[in-house]
Amino acid sequence: MAPQSSCRGREDQTLASSAAASPRPPAMAHAPVVKTTTTTVADLTDLVLQAILLRLSPADLLRAALTCHRWRRAATHALPRVPPLLGYFFHPQGPGNPPPMPMYDTTHHPAVFLPLDAASSPCLSLDLTPGAASSLSIQDVHLGLVLLLPHSRPKSLLPRILAVDPASRRRVLLPPPPRDALPERDDRWRRDRCVIGVAVLARAHPSRLTFDAVCLTIDGDLPRAWVASVREGNCAWRALPRAEGITINFDPWLFEGRCVHAAGNIYWHICNSSRLLQLDPCTLDFSFMPVPAVLGDRFEKYRIGETPEDGRLCMASIVENLRLQIWVRGEARCSSDRGWLLERKICMTKLLDTVPGLPKDSMMRVLCTWLSDMDYARTGKVFITTWGYGRYSFHLETSKLERLVMEDGKEHGNPIYAYTLAWPPEFLAQETGLLVVD
């Protein structure tokens, strides 16, 4: 029995020594704590921010530009060259009847807004009461503002002007100029005064209702500009001296009440005249702009506007042989007509054959068809009006003729005002004074 115990003792010693020799497994080490960092919009680089802004719609891009100065600078690089078109304002008209019936529906319908794209463009509205909507008429749409005057008003009284910003639904009612705006010796033209219309001169910033507007009057036989400066709802008027040397030797009723903004200036068409009245919005100087002799001297219907590709001053007209002519203002040279160059001619005969009911006789067709306007959004379209056969838009590049009719059967009225958002330098520049007039 002894040998067995000695063997077990040696075995126990061997197990004990081997257990002592083998080290214990190390304790589990804790995993290092990883600190997470949050990336904010402020951490975006200018290039990344600009790439994001490029994906926004025009309305959202304008809102983003108002966030801060950095976003405003980034938005200037994401803006298109041409102000984005959101839609059109106009006063609808009932369908006319063919000759010899009256040409137009004389009923004054409230202004409506037709979005360019119902899916992406906002559905804007002037947001007027029924009474105001039925008594006011649009006179100018520019830089995101809509100016309205009473539809029926005395031509000799300076009117109140309602200015509406449809995008923000802000508005301001401008009072008429005070009686002391003119010295007593200069106000002797009060009885002979004729109010032509109003126009937007400049706008400082979209976040504030700050802008300048002008009211054109004919005092005696000379034009005068009345400038309204609006600063956050407060309006101040100043009357400029009459424009010497710009004699109005015709009935002022021949002026069209609404103006046209083109190539940096403001124009008023004159019925049956070979010239337009031009106003420089920076210097507020009046002058006459002659039209091509083949248009003005023959009393053709012409409309002034801008070329779609580069914004040059241009003029369109449909002449007696039913050809649409596009004239571009160029340098005075032997091949020009009073400084205008004939750029292109488009035959409208076959195109007008597609208008249902339009007479085939050439004389009747000339009588029933005329150019009513150019699309001032620079889309390359002109608007054509017929006597009782509908209103149409014609695209100069695609030659597409499209009838302009609403769901209720009313036609798009004349004029058709393009509503665009105002881009730099008007909106994204630093806020400064608008006009400086000595």
Side-chain angles (χ1 to χ4, degrees):
M1 299 297 294
Q4 293 180 356
S5 60
S6 61
C7 292
R8 179 173 296 179
R10 287 194 298 269
E11 183 179 357
D12 293 340
Q13 292 178 359
T14 304
L15 292 176
S17 61
S18 61
S22 60
R24 294 182 179 181
M28 295 294 295
H30 295 285
V33 179
V34 179
K35 296 182 179 180
T36 59
T37 58
T38 303
T39 302
T40 63
V41 177
D43 298 325
L44 299 178
T45 64
D46 292 340
L47 292 178
V48 174
L49 180 59
Q50 180 181 342
I52 295 175
L53 296 180
L54 282 171
R55 298 176 178 271
L56 298 181
S57 64
D60 293 335
L61 180 59
L62 179 60
R63 298 187 186 97
L66 302 179
T67 303
C68 60
H69 292 288
R70 179 171 177 254
W71 282 43
R72 184 186 304 178
R73 290 192 300 269
T76 59
H77 300 286
L79 296 173
R81 294 184 60 186
V82 179
L85 174 64
L86 298 185
Y88 298 90
F89 279 102
F90 56 86
H91 293 273
Q93 286 186 340
N97 297 313
M101 301 300 293
M103 187 178 302
Y104 294 116
D105 174 24
T106 58
T107 305
H108 177 69
H109 297 280
V112 298
F113 177 76
L114 181 66
L116 182 65
D117 185 0
S120 59
S121 298
C123 187
L124 303 178
S125 171
L126 297 179
D127 198 19
L128 301 176
T129 62
S134 60
S135 62
L136 295 176
S137 177
I138 297 178
Q139 294 293 308
D140 189 25
V141 177
H142 189 53
L143 299 180
L145 293 175
V146 180
L147 300 185
L148 301 100
L149 293 180
H151 180 64
S152 299
R153 66 184 189 278
K155 284 289 187 179
S156 60
L157 297 181
L158 294 168
R160 293 186 175 186
I161 305 172
L162 178 62
V164 180
D165 182 354
S168 63
R169 296 188 176 182
R170 292 171 297 177
R171 68 191 61 216
V172 59
L173 181 61
L174 310 186
R179 286 185 173 269
D180 58 355
L182 279 177
E184 186 176 353
R185 60 182 178 84
D186 288 340
D187 203 21
R188 61 183 181 272
W189 311 106
R190 182 183 304 170
R191 295 183 178 180
D192 298 330
R193 178 172 297 142
C194 181
V195 178
I196 303 302
V198 296
V200 178
L201 285 178
R203 191 178 182 187
H205 202 271
S207 62
R208 298 178 181 178
L209 202 58
T210 301
F211 63 94
D212 287 337
V214 62
C215 178
L216 169 64
T217 65
I218 306 300
D219 289 7
D221 58 352
L222 298 178
R224 186 195 298 273
W226 304 71
V227 179
S229 298
V230 181
R231 303 294 182 267
E232 289 300 316
N234 298 319
C235 177
W237 284 94
R238 63 181 183 274
L240 274 63
R242 297 192 307 160
E244 299 291 340
I246 311 298
T247 305
I248 308 300
N249 53 3
F250 52 86
D251 192 339
W253 287 84
L254 294 177
F255 275 103
E256 289 190 4
R258 62 94 174 217
C259 66
V260 175
H261 298 265
N265 292 322
I266 304 175
Y267 297 90
W268 280 270
H269 288 91
I270 307 171
C271 298
N272 298 331
S273 177
S274 60
R275 53 189 179 174
L276 303 95
L277 183 64
Q278 173 181 298
L279 174 64
D280 187 329
C282 297
T283 63
L284 296 178
D285 291 332
F286 287 101
S287 60
F288 282 119
M289 168 68 73
V291 304
V294 297
L295 302 181
D297 294 347
R298 299 180 184 178
F299 304 116
E300 299 284 357
K301 177 77 173 185
Y302 57 84
R303 307 303 301 180
I304 199 166
E306 295 177 338
T307 56
E309 58 277 0
D310 52 11
R312 291 180 296 166
L313 190 66
C314 71
M315 188 172 293
S317 177
I318 296 181
V319 295
E320 293 181 354
N321 55 1
L322 293 177
R323 289 184 179 272
L324 176 63
Q325 295 183 350
I326 304 297
W327 297 78
V328 178
R329 190 68 176 171
E331 298 180 357
R333 56 192 187 200
C334 58
S335 60
S336 68
D337 186 344
R338 296 175 179 172
W340 295 92
L341 304 175
L342 182 59
E343 187 172 79
R344 61 187 304 185
K345 295 185 293 184
I346 302 174
C347 182
M348 304 289 292
T349 303
K350 293 184 178 180
L351 191 67
L352 293 176
D353 288 340
T354 62
V355 176
L358 190 65
K360 302 297 182 181
D361 180 73
S362 59
M363 293 186 62
M364 285 296 298
R365 181 167 289 190
V366 170
L367 176 66
C368 297
T369 307
W370 61 92
L371 182 71
S372 62
D373 226 334
M374 300 185 70
D375 191 350
Y376 301 108
R378 291 169 56 179
T379 61
K381 294 181 180 180
V382 296
F383 300 122
I384 298 175
T385 302
T386 63
W387 187 346
Y389 304 100
R391 297 174 184 266
Y392 298 85
S393 67
F394 174 68
H395 199 287
L396 299 177
E397 299 300 330
T398 63
S399 299
K400 181 180 179 181
L401 189 69
E402 182 180 3
R403 184 164 186 179
L404 304 177
V405 62
M406 303 176 65
E407 295 181 355
D408 58 0
K410 294 186 179 67
E411 298 176 348
H412 295 195
N414 181 44
I416 300 176
Y417 296 94
Y419 184 80
T420 59
L421 292 178
W423 289 132
E426 290 85 357
F427 269 16
L428 300 184
Q430 297 293 331
E431 297 184 39
T432 57
L434 297 182
L435 292 177
V436 178
V437 180
D438 295 332

